[in-house]
Amino acid sequence: MKIIRSILEMRNLRKNISGLVGFVPTLGGLHDGHIAHLNKAKKKSDILIASSFLNPLQFSAKEDLYAYPINEKKDLEIFKNNGVDYAFLPTKEDMYQNLNSTFVDPGEIANVCEGKSRPGHFIGVATIVVKLFNIIEPNFVTFGQKDAQQLRIIKNIIKDLSFEIKIVEIPTIRDKEGLALSTRNTYLRSEEKKSANKIYQSLIMGSKLAKENNINSKFITDKIFSKLNEDPLITIEYIEIVDPITFNQVPSLSQNNLLVLAVKIGKARLIDNININTNE
Ligand code: AMP
């Protein structure tokens, strides 16, 4: 595995790569969820490129950019052991020379749910993803369903900006209690981990209520709110049932609905989602 730390070197190498290039972008702080991406991408590609770049543009001043638990040595081992040919770890200075004055705005979808809770977050994500696409020119990329709104935004970017890149969706990898794996899970103390397990239980409850033909979204989200709100360690940011294309709230369930939520537990801000549908 070759480690690359500059855009110029990455571009020069890319020029001489032939065959199908798969790309797995990450922030670093790798876990088994990321490994699922690497394994899937490895099977589909001739050359596998993975990046680790803690993108400051997608963190607000009050978020955990400086605490984000990254262990570069461990991440590089994981890349190497999972078939990565080129590990791209650019420096902030190289990625943001003199800071950007040009940004990619994903539009209305960037202002709801995660975008509403984290203003500017998706402009930061969209801008870095477009930069990485231009530097790496992959044939396909993997993105995780855990970050459902991000996944939708990347699909829009590929279509709207005419990138010739295929997207491979990776289902959410969970631990044995159902908690979606996340780099931020390392912040959880043992009591907090028990509280975090309730996130998936509440999504399952929502899915069950939908299957029992409760079509009123508020009825379902109120039930989940009550369940999570009982736990003093959980602070709810939002619980919404949305259209999976626009991420706008739907008052009553239709054919395709996504139940999305964000909570804070201790130092960890956690998000998760599940597709919910009625039985009809
Ligand atoms: P991150 O490093 O958190 O930005 O994640 C990099 C990629 O891994 C993104 O496409 C995420 O959606 C995806 N990802 C994060 N957690 C999981 C998980 N538990 N299961 C599957 N994919 C994940």
Side-chain angles (χ1 to χ4, degrees), residues 135-185:
I135 296 163
I136 290 175
E137 297 182 45
N139 298 100
F140 74 87
V141 284
T142 65
F143 277 92
Q145 290 172 348
K146 177 182 161 266
D147 300 284
Q149 195 172 0
Q150 168 176 279
L151 172 64
R152 183 69 246 166
I153 286 171
I154 307 299
K155 284 182 183 170
N156 293 351
I157 289 174
I158 288 176
K159 181 173 86 35
D160 295 345
L161 302 182
S162 305
F163 281 103
E164 202 183 348
I165 299 174
K166 208 171 147 303
I167 193 152
V168 176
E169 287 184 33
I170 307 295
T172 303
I173 308 297
R174 301 178 179 280
D175 70 12
K176 58 182 191 310
E177 278 96 27
L179 177 65
L181 299 189
S182 162
T183 305
R184 292 186 170 103
N185 290 354

